[in-house]
Amino acid sequence: MSRRIKRMNPKPRDRDERKEARPFKAGSAKKAGPRPGGKPSGKPSGSKPPRFAGERAERRPPTARLERAEFERAAPEKPVEALLPTKVQTVKVTADENNMRVDRFLEARFPGLSFSHIQRVVRKGELRVDGKRVDSKDRLEEGQSVRIPPLKLDTPKAVDELSEAAQKTLKALKEMTIYEDDDVLVLNKPAGLAVQGGSGMTRHIDQMLEVMRDSKGQKPRLVHRIDRETSGCLLIAKTRFAASHLTGAFRSRSARKTYWALVPGLPKPKQGRISTFLAKEETEDDTIMRIAEHGDEGASHAVTYYAVVETAGNKLTWVSLKPVTGRTHQLRAHMAHIGHPIVGDPKYFNIENWQLPGGLQNRLHLLARRIVIPHPRGGVIDATAPLPPHMQQSWNLLGLDASRFDPIENAPEE
Protein backbone atom coordinates (compact mmCIF):
# COMPACT_ATOMS: atom_id res chain seq x y z
CA MET A 1 0.00 0.00 0.00
CA SER A 2 1.37 3.41 -0.92
CA ARG A 3 2.27 5.80 1.87
CA ARG A 4 1.79 9.57 1.77
CA ILE A 5 3.52 12.03 4.09
CA LYS A 6 2.15 15.55 3.83
CA ARG A 7 2.74 18.92 5.44
CA MET A 8 0.13 19.82 8.00
CA ASN A 9 -2.85 21.79 6.72
CA PRO A 10 -3.86 24.34 9.37
CA LYS A 11 -7.53 23.71 8.56
CA PRO A 12 -9.47 21.26 10.77
CA ARG A 13 -9.04 17.63 9.76
CA ASP A 14 -11.66 15.14 8.74
CA ARG A 15 -11.80 12.43 11.41
CA ASP A 16 -11.89 9.85 8.63
CA GLU A 17 -8.56 10.81 7.04
CA ARG A 18 -6.19 7.84 6.96
CA LYS A 19 -2.80 6.53 5.82
CA GLU A 20 -1.06 9.85 6.47
CA ALA A 21 1.76 11.06 8.71
CA ARG A 22 1.71 14.81 9.08
CA PRO A 23 3.97 17.25 10.91
CA PHE A 24 2.76 19.10 13.98
CA LYS A 25 3.89 22.31 15.58
CA ALA A 26 3.52 23.65 19.08
CA GLY A 27 0.29 25.60 19.25
CA SER A 28 -0.93 24.29 15.91
CA ALA A 29 -3.91 22.57 17.48
CA LYS A 30 -6.54 23.71 19.88
CA LYS A 31 -5.45 23.12 23.45
CA ALA A 32 -7.53 20.68 25.44
CA GLY A 33 -6.35 22.05 28.78
CA PRO A 34 -3.08 22.42 30.66
CA ARG A 35 -0.23 20.28 29.38
CA PRO A 36 -0.06 16.98 31.30
CA GLY A 37 2.25 17.06 34.26
CA GLY A 38 3.28 20.63 33.69
CA LYS A 39 2.40 24.22 34.47
CA PRO A 40 2.68 27.34 32.36
CA SER A 41 6.36 28.26 32.49
CA GLY A 42 5.87 31.99 32.24
CA LYS A 43 9.02 32.18 30.12
CA PRO A 44 9.13 34.36 27.01
CA SER A 45 8.99 32.66 23.65
CA GLY A 46 12.36 31.69 22.28
CA SER A 47 13.76 30.66 25.65
CA LYS A 48 15.42 27.29 26.01
CA PRO A 49 12.79 24.55 26.33
CA PRO A 50 12.58 22.78 29.66
CA ARG A 51 13.95 19.28 30.03
CA PHE A 52 11.49 16.46 29.72
CA ALA A 53 9.35 16.59 32.84
CA GLY A 54 9.53 12.85 33.16
CA GLU A 55 13.24 13.06 34.04
CA ARG A 56 12.39 15.13 37.10
CA ALA A 57 9.97 12.40 38.11
CA GLU A 58 12.83 9.87 38.04
CA ARG A 59 14.92 11.86 40.50
CA ARG A 60 12.17 11.83 43.09
CA PRO A 61 9.34 9.38 43.64
CA PRO A 62 6.26 10.42 41.61
CA THR A 63 3.47 11.78 43.75
CA ALA A 64 -0.20 12.45 43.24
CA ARG A 65 -1.05 16.07 43.89
CA LEU A 66 -4.18 15.57 45.93
CA GLU A 67 -6.50 18.18 47.37
CA ARG A 68 -7.26 17.54 51.05
CA ALA A 69 -10.77 18.90 50.60
CA GLU A 70 -11.46 16.27 47.93
CA PHE A 71 -10.48 13.51 50.33
CA GLU A 72 -12.64 14.96 53.09
CA ARG A 73 -15.66 15.28 50.80
CA ALA A 74 -15.30 11.76 49.35
CA ALA A 75 -17.80 9.40 50.91
CA PRO A 76 -16.24 6.22 52.31
CA GLU A 77 -17.01 3.02 50.43
CA LYS A 78 -19.32 0.51 52.00
CA PRO A 79 -17.52 -2.64 53.14
CA VAL A 80 -17.88 -5.41 50.59
CA GLU A 81 -19.44 -7.60 53.27
CA ALA A 82 -22.36 -5.14 53.54
CA LEU A 83 -23.16 -5.66 49.85
CA LEU A 84 -23.28 -9.45 49.97
CA PRO A 85 -26.68 -11.18 50.27
CA THR A 86 -27.20 -12.92 53.61
CA LYS A 87 -30.25 -14.77 52.31
CA VAL A 88 -31.50 -16.01 48.95
CA GLN A 89 -32.41 -13.20 46.57
CA THR A 90 -33.52 -12.92 42.95
CA VAL A 91 -32.23 -10.17 40.66
CA LYS A 92 -32.89 -9.21 37.05
CA VAL A 93 -30.15 -9.05 34.41
CA THR A 94 -29.83 -5.44 33.24
CA ALA A 95 -29.12 -4.16 29.73
CA ASP A 96 -25.51 -3.48 30.71
CA GLU A 97 -25.17 -7.10 31.85
CA ASN A 98 -26.60 -8.60 28.66
CA ASN A 99 -24.34 -11.33 27.20
CA MET A 100 -22.18 -11.33 30.34
CA ARG A 101 -20.80 -14.65 31.56
CA VAL A 102 -22.31 -15.97 34.79
CA ASP A 103 -19.01 -15.87 36.69
CA ARG A 104 -18.27 -12.32 35.44
CA PHE A 105 -21.77 -11.29 36.47
CA LEU A 106 -21.08 -12.39 40.05
CA GLU A 107 -17.64 -10.75 40.06
CA ALA A 108 -19.14 -7.45 38.88
CA ARG A 109 -22.08 -7.53 41.30
CA PHE A 110 -20.05 -8.67 44.30
CA PRO A 111 -16.38 -7.58 44.06
CA GLY A 112 -14.14 -9.52 46.38
CA LEU A 113 -15.71 -12.94 45.89
CA SER A 114 -13.02 -15.53 45.32
CA PHE A 115 -12.89 -17.50 42.09
CA SER A 116 -13.30 -20.77 44.01
CA HIS A 117 -16.42 -19.54 45.84
CA ILE A 118 -18.05 -18.43 42.58
CA GLN A 119 -17.31 -21.79 40.95
CA ARG A 120 -18.64 -23.64 43.98
CA VAL A 121 -22.07 -21.95 44.13
CA VAL A 122 -22.51 -22.40 40.37
CA ARG A 123 -21.34 -26.02 40.35
CA LYS A 124 -23.67 -26.96 43.23
CA GLY A 125 -26.63 -25.40 41.45
CA GLU A 126 -27.17 -22.85 44.24
CA LEU A 127 -27.22 -20.12 41.58
CA ARG A 128 -30.00 -20.53 39.02
CA VAL A 129 -31.09 -18.59 35.93
CA ASP A 130 -34.83 -18.63 35.21
CA GLY A 131 -35.01 -21.59 37.59
CA LYS A 132 -32.42 -23.66 35.72
CA ARG A 133 -28.90 -24.75 36.56
CA VAL A 134 -26.16 -23.04 34.53
CA ASP A 135 -22.44 -23.26 33.91
CA SER A 136 -20.11 -20.45 34.96
CA LYS A 137 -19.27 -19.79 31.28
CA ASP A 138 -22.91 -19.54 30.16
CA ARG A 139 -24.05 -16.11 28.90
CA LEU A 140 -26.89 -14.14 30.48
CA GLU A 141 -29.63 -12.25 28.64
CA GLU A 142 -31.28 -9.01 29.64
CA GLY A 143 -34.40 -9.58 31.73
CA GLN A 144 -33.49 -13.06 32.97
CA SER A 145 -34.02 -13.81 36.67
CA VAL A 146 -30.95 -14.90 38.60
CA ARG A 147 -31.35 -16.68 41.94
CA ILE A 148 -28.38 -15.79 44.14
CA PRO A 149 -27.68 -17.78 47.32
CA PRO A 150 -26.15 -16.31 50.49
CA LEU A 151 -22.54 -15.35 49.77
CA LYS A 152 -19.52 -14.76 51.93
CA LEU A 153 -15.97 -13.55 51.46
CA ASP A 154 -13.04 -15.83 52.02
CA THR A 155 -11.00 -14.61 54.95
CA PRO A 156 -7.92 -12.93 53.46
CA LYS A 157 -4.60 -14.18 54.71
CA ALA A 158 -2.22 -11.86 56.51
CA VAL A 159 1.09 -11.19 54.75
CA ASP A 160 2.97 -13.30 57.28
CA GLU A 161 0.56 -16.17 56.55
CA LEU A 162 1.20 -16.12 52.81
CA SER A 163 3.08 -19.00 51.29
CA GLU A 164 6.73 -18.52 50.42
CA ALA A 165 5.82 -18.26 46.73
CA ALA A 166 3.14 -15.64 47.45
CA GLN A 167 5.56 -13.60 49.54
CA LYS A 168 8.06 -13.66 46.65
CA THR A 169 5.31 -12.46 44.31
CA LEU A 170 4.40 -9.63 46.69
CA LYS A 171 8.05 -8.63 46.92
CA ALA A 172 8.34 -8.64 43.11
CA LEU A 173 5.31 -6.33 42.82
CA LYS A 174 6.76 -3.96 45.41
CA GLU A 175 10.02 -3.83 43.47
CA MET A 176 8.08 -2.88 40.32
CA THR A 177 6.11 -0.14 42.10
CA ILE A 178 6.88 3.45 41.08
CA TYR A 179 3.81 5.03 42.69
CA GLU A 180 1.26 3.86 45.25
CA ASP A 181 -1.46 5.30 47.47
CA ASP A 182 -4.73 3.98 48.93
CA ASP A 183 -6.48 4.01 45.54
CA VAL A 184 -3.86 3.69 42.83
CA LEU A 185 -0.77 1.66 41.99
CA VAL A 186 1.61 2.33 39.09
CA LEU A 187 3.97 -0.50 38.17
CA ASN A 188 7.08 -0.45 36.01
CA LYS A 189 6.21 -3.65 34.16
CA PRO A 190 9.30 -5.45 32.88
CA ALA A 191 9.52 -6.56 29.25
CA GLY A 192 8.48 -10.18 28.78
CA LEU A 193 5.90 -10.25 31.59
CA ALA A 194 2.32 -10.43 30.31
CA VAL A 195 -0.40 -8.23 31.80
CA GLN A 196 -3.10 -10.89 31.49
CA GLY A 197 -3.16 -14.62 31.02
CA GLY A 198 -3.37 -16.43 27.71
CA SER A 199 -2.51 -19.74 26.13
CA GLY A 200 0.38 -21.27 28.04
CA MET A 201 0.64 -18.32 30.45
CA THR A 202 1.44 -19.35 34.01
CA ARG A 203 2.59 -15.98 35.36
CA HIS A 204 1.17 -12.55 34.58
CA ILE A 205 0.37 -9.29 36.38
CA ASP A 206 -3.33 -10.01 36.87
CA GLN A 207 -2.53 -13.32 38.53
CA MET A 208 0.22 -11.75 40.67
CA LEU A 209 -2.23 -9.16 42.02
CA GLU A 210 -4.09 -11.95 43.85
CA VAL A 211 -1.58 -11.61 46.70
CA MET A 212 -2.68 -8.00 47.24
CA ARG A 213 -6.29 -8.65 48.25
CA ASP A 214 -7.17 -6.28 51.08
CA SER A 215 -9.06 -6.91 54.32
CA LYS A 216 -12.35 -6.53 52.39
CA GLY A 217 -11.31 -9.16 49.90
CA GLN A 218 -10.86 -6.65 47.08
CA LYS A 219 -8.17 -7.43 44.53
CA PRO A 220 -6.46 -4.58 42.60
CA ARG A 221 -7.90 -4.20 39.09
CA LEU A 222 -6.29 -3.59 35.70
CA VAL A 223 -7.61 -0.44 34.03
CA HIS A 224 -5.52 -0.62 30.84
CA ARG A 225 -2.96 -2.93 29.23
CA ILE A 226 0.41 -2.83 27.51
CA ASP A 227 1.94 -5.52 25.30
CA ARG A 228 3.90 -8.37 26.86
CA GLU A 229 7.22 -7.28 25.33
CA THR A 230 6.66 -3.59 26.15
CA SER A 231 8.04 -2.36 29.45
CA GLY A 232 6.99 0.64 31.51
CA CYS A 233 4.06 2.32 33.24
CA LEU A 234 1.05 0.14 34.01
CA LEU A 235 -1.80 1.70 36.00
CA ILE A 236 -3.68 -0.41 38.56
CA ALA A 237 -6.80 0.52 40.56
CA LYS A 238 -6.76 -0.73 44.15
CA THR A 239 -10.45 0.00 44.83
CA ARG A 240 -13.75 -0.16 42.95
CA PHE A 241 -14.04 3.61 43.36
CA ALA A 242 -10.68 4.18 41.67
CA ALA A 243 -11.35 1.60 38.94
CA SER A 244 -14.56 3.37 37.92
CA HIS A 245 -12.92 6.81 37.73
CA LEU A 246 -9.71 5.68 36.01
CA THR A 247 -11.58 3.61 33.42
CA GLY A 248 -13.69 6.69 32.72
CA ALA A 249 -10.56 8.79 32.28
CA PHE A 250 -9.23 6.39 29.63
CA ARG A 251 -12.62 6.29 27.92
CA SER A 252 -12.79 10.10 27.77
CA ARG A 253 -9.12 10.29 26.71
CA SER A 254 -8.17 12.31 29.77
CA ALA A 255 -5.16 10.03 30.27
CA ARG A 256 -1.95 11.15 28.55
CA LYS A 257 0.57 8.45 27.66
CA THR A 258 4.07 8.86 26.24
CA TYR A 259 6.13 6.03 24.75
CA TRP A 260 9.80 5.92 23.68
CA ALA A 261 11.01 3.73 20.84
CA LEU A 262 14.10 3.09 18.71
CA VAL A 263 13.54 2.82 14.95
CA PRO A 264 15.76 2.40 11.86
CA GLY A 265 16.34 5.38 9.59
CA LEU A 266 15.09 8.93 10.08
CA PRO A 267 11.34 9.57 9.89
CA LYS A 268 10.36 12.50 7.68
CA PRO A 269 8.92 14.87 8.62
CA LYS A 270 10.57 14.77 12.05
CA GLN A 271 7.26 15.45 13.77
CA GLY A 272 4.02 14.04 12.45
CA ARG A 273 0.56 12.58 12.86
CA ILE A 274 -0.27 9.07 11.70
CA SER A 275 -3.96 8.42 11.03
CA THR A 276 -5.16 5.05 9.74
CA PHE A 277 -7.78 2.40 10.26
CA LEU A 278 -6.59 -0.81 11.91
CA ALA A 279 -8.22 -4.25 11.80
CA LYS A 280 -7.26 -7.48 13.52
CA GLU A 281 -5.99 -10.29 11.32
CA GLU A 282 -5.82 -13.69 12.99
CA THR A 283 -4.14 -16.89 11.86
CA GLU A 284 -3.65 -20.21 13.60
CA ASP A 285 -0.31 -19.09 15.01
CA ASP A 286 -0.51 -15.33 15.41
CA THR A 287 -2.58 -12.16 15.60
CA ILE A 288 -1.50 -8.90 13.98
CA MET A 289 -3.10 -5.55 13.20
CA ARG A 290 -3.25 -4.63 9.52
CA ILE A 291 -3.82 -1.26 7.91
CA ALA A 292 -7.44 -1.24 6.79
CA GLU A 293 -9.85 0.94 4.85
CA HIS A 294 -12.70 2.92 6.36
CA GLY A 295 -15.73 0.64 6.41
CA ASP A 296 -13.77 -2.62 6.49
CA GLU A 297 -15.17 -5.19 8.88
CA GLY A 298 -13.66 -4.72 12.35
CA ALA A 299 -11.70 -1.61 11.33
CA SER A 300 -11.15 1.07 13.98
CA HIS A 301 -9.72 4.55 13.53
CA ALA A 302 -6.30 5.00 15.17
CA VAL A 303 -4.27 8.20 15.63
CA THR A 304 -0.66 8.51 16.81
CA TYR A 305 1.64 11.54 17.09
CA TYR A 306 5.39 10.96 16.82
CA ALA A 307 8.45 13.18 17.24
CA VAL A 308 12.15 12.57 16.60
CA VAL A 309 14.10 13.19 19.80
CA GLU A 310 17.65 12.27 18.75
CA THR A 311 19.43 10.36 15.99
CA ALA A 312 22.46 8.10 15.84
CA GLY A 313 24.11 8.77 12.50
CA ASN A 314 20.80 8.60 10.61
CA LYS A 315 20.92 4.81 10.98
CA LEU A 316 18.84 4.66 14.15
CA THR A 317 16.44 7.20 15.63
CA TRP A 318 14.95 7.65 19.07
CA VAL A 319 11.31 8.67 18.66
CA SER A 320 8.72 9.69 21.20
CA LEU A 321 5.12 8.59 20.61
CA LYS A 322 1.77 9.84 21.87
CA PRO A 323 -1.19 7.57 21.10
CA VAL A 324 -4.50 9.43 20.96
CA THR A 325 -6.48 6.22 20.58
CA GLY A 326 -5.69 2.90 22.25
CA ARG A 327 -5.86 0.16 19.62
CA THR A 328 -4.06 -3.18 19.94
CA HIS A 329 -0.44 -2.90 18.74
CA GLN A 330 -1.24 0.62 17.52
CA LEU A 331 2.23 2.15 17.88
CA ARG A 332 3.98 -0.90 16.46
CA ALA A 333 1.68 -1.12 13.44
CA HIS A 334 1.81 2.65 12.81
CA MET A 335 5.61 2.90 12.87
CA ALA A 336 5.88 -0.07 10.50
CA HIS A 337 3.30 1.60 8.26
CA ILE A 338 5.43 4.72 7.76
CA GLY A 339 8.53 2.62 7.04
CA HIS A 340 10.21 2.82 10.45
CA PRO A 341 9.24 -0.31 12.42
CA ILE A 342 10.40 -0.53 16.01
CA VAL A 343 13.74 -2.28 16.50
CA GLY A 344 13.36 -5.83 17.79
CA ASP A 345 9.65 -6.12 16.97
CA PRO A 346 9.00 -9.78 16.08
CA LYS A 347 5.59 -9.03 14.52
CA TYR A 348 6.00 -5.81 12.55
CA PHE A 349 9.70 -5.34 11.69
CA ASN A 350 9.55 -5.80 7.94
CA ILE A 351 12.77 -4.33 6.48
CA GLU A 352 14.57 -7.01 4.47
CA ASN A 353 18.30 -7.61 4.97
CA TRP A 354 18.48 -5.02 7.75
CA GLN A 355 21.32 -5.75 10.18
CA LEU A 356 21.05 -5.00 13.88
CA PRO A 357 24.09 -2.93 14.93
CA GLY A 358 26.58 -4.82 17.08
CA GLY A 359 25.96 -4.67 20.82
CA LEU A 360 22.20 -4.07 20.57
CA GLN A 361 19.87 -6.78 21.78
CA ASN A 362 17.23 -8.07 19.38
CA ARG A 363 14.36 -7.24 21.74
CA LEU A 364 11.44 -4.86 21.34
CA HIS A 365 12.70 -1.31 21.94
CA LEU A 366 9.43 0.18 23.16
CA LEU A 367 8.88 1.77 26.58
CA ALA A 368 5.65 3.05 28.13
CA ARG A 369 7.62 6.01 29.40
CA ARG A 370 5.10 8.18 31.19
CA ILE A 371 1.45 8.35 32.23
CA VAL A 372 -0.41 11.45 33.39
CA ILE A 373 -4.01 11.01 34.53
CA PRO A 374 -6.45 12.75 36.90
CA HIS A 375 -6.47 11.14 40.33
CA PRO A 376 -9.86 9.74 41.34
CA ARG A 377 -9.94 11.99 44.43
CA GLY A 378 -8.52 15.13 42.83
CA GLY A 379 -5.13 16.27 41.58
CA VAL A 380 -2.96 14.48 39.05
CA ILE A 381 -0.92 11.27 38.95
CA ASP A 382 2.28 11.79 36.94
CA ALA A 383 4.52 8.70 36.83
CA THR A 384 7.61 7.97 34.76
CA ALA A 385 9.37 4.66 34.10
CA PRO A 386 13.13 4.38 33.46
CA LEU A 387 14.60 2.72 30.38
CA PRO A 388 14.62 -1.09 30.73
CA PRO A 389 18.09 -2.69 30.77
CA HIS A 390 18.18 -3.67 27.09
CA MET A 391 17.13 -0.16 25.98
CA GLN A 392 19.53 1.51 28.42
CA GLN A 393 22.32 -0.58 26.89
CA SER A 394 21.32 0.63 23.42
CA TRP A 395 21.12 4.27 24.54
CA ASN A 396 24.63 3.98 26.03
CA LEU A 397 26.10 2.34 22.93
CA LEU A 398 24.49 4.89 20.58
CA GLY A 399 25.36 7.89 22.76
CA LEU A 400 21.72 8.95 23.20
CA ASP A 401 21.01 11.36 26.06
CA ALA A 402 17.89 10.29 27.97
CA SER A 403 17.67 13.73 29.60
CA ARG A 404 16.97 15.56 26.34
CA PHE A 405 13.81 17.63 25.95
CA ASP A 406 11.00 15.53 24.53
CA PRO A 407 9.24 17.44 21.71
CA ILE A 408 6.17 15.18 21.89
CA GLU A 409 5.01 17.44 24.72
CA ASN A 410 4.08 19.98 22.04
CA ALA A 411 1.87 17.52 20.15
CA PRO A 412 -1.90 18.16 20.14
CA GLU A 413 -4.13 16.14 22.41
CA GLU A 414 -6.48 14.86 19.69
Side-chain angles (χ1 to χ4, degrees), residues 13-18 20 22 273 275-277 301:
R13 300 183 188 85
D14 181 354
R15 288 182 61 85
D16 287 344
E17 68 175 337
R18 57 192 182 273
E20 295 185 3
R22 297 186 171 189
R273 177 181 187 268
S275 175
T276 73
F277 285 84
H301 190 219

Side-chain angles (χ1 to χ4, degrees), residues 86-327:
T86 56
K87 57 184 180 180
V88 174
Q89 63 174 241
T90 301
V91 299
K92 292 287 188 180
V93 178
T94 67
D96 289 339
E97 294 165 334
N98 185 54
N99 202 39
M100 185 179 285
R101 281 174 39 158
V102 170
D103 52 359
R104 304 300 186 204
F105 170 83
L106 283 175
E107 285 179 345
R109 288 255 181 167
F110 309 107
L113 280 179
S114 69
F115 174 80
S116 60
H117 188 47
I118 291 173
Q119 298 300 313
R120 185 164 58 250
V121 299
V122 174
R123 185 177 64 252
K124 289 184 175 181
E126 295 175 0
L127 180 143
R128 302 216 170 201
V129 177
D130 288 343
K132 299 178 181 178
R133 295 177 68 116
V134 292
D135 187 83
S136 60
K137 295 181 180 180
D138 288 345
R139 301 279 177 173
L140 297 171
E141 296 180 3
E142 180 183 357
Q144 285 184 319
S145 296
V146 181
R147 176 193 182 275
I148 299 175
L151 301 172
K152 64 179 180 179
L153 292 177
D154 291 348
T155 304
K157 295 181 180 179
V159 173
D160 57 0
E161 296 176 357
L162 293 175
S163 67
E164 183 178 350
Q167 291 188 44
K168 288 182 179 179
T169 296
L170 186 61
K171 181 181 178 182
L173 287 170
K174 295 300 182 185
E175 290 173 348
M176 294 180 207
T177 300
I178 52 180
Y179 174 76
E180 183 176 15
D181 62 27
D182 291 342
D183 294 286
V184 180
L185 178 69
V186 183
L187 301 178
N188 176 22
K189 187 193 79 68
L193 179 61
V195 173
Q196 283 187 302
S199 178
M201 293 284 181
T202 57
R203 183 176 174 82
H204 50 85
I205 294 292
D206 194 37
Q207 171 258 328
M208 294 173 71
L209 291 173
E210 286 287 345
V211 302
M212 291 187 65
R213 286 191 182 274
D214 62 17
S215 59
K216 301 175 183 178
Q218 291 193 82
K219 168 190 165 185
R221 298 161 171 81
L222 300 169
V223 292
H224 74 123
R225 292 150 186 78
I226 55 179
D227 295 342
R228 179 178 181 178
E229 296 305 324
T230 302
S231 65
C233 294
L234 179 67
L235 189 67
I236 309 289
K238 295 174 67 176
T239 62
R240 286 179 290 114
F241 170 79
S244 175
H245 282 73
L246 294 173
T247 301
F250 277 98
R251 190 180 300 116
S252 64
R253 298 182 184 173
S254 299
R256 300 288 177 253
K257 295 181 287 183
T258 300
Y259 288 74
W260 283 3
L262 188 69
V263 302
L266 177 61
K268 293 181 181 179
K270 290 187 175 181
Q271 297 179 358
R273 177 181 187 268
I274 307 170
S275 175
T276 73
F277 285 84
L278 294 175
K280 187 174 292 187
E281 191 170 88
E282 295 184 292
T283 64
E284 292 183 1
D285 303 321
D286 205 359
T287 298
I288 63 168
M289 301 300 289
R290 63 176 177 83
I291 303 300
E293 300 290 338
H294 180 40
D296 285 358
E297 182 179 357
S300 299
H301 190 219
V303 176
T304 301
Y305 285 95
Y306 73 86
V308 170
V309 184
E310 193 174 4
T311 63
N314 288 337
K315 182 172 178 62
L316 290 165
T317 299
W318 160 21
V319 293
S320 187
L321 304 164
K322 177 188 284 188
V324 176
T325 52
R327 312 303 179 201

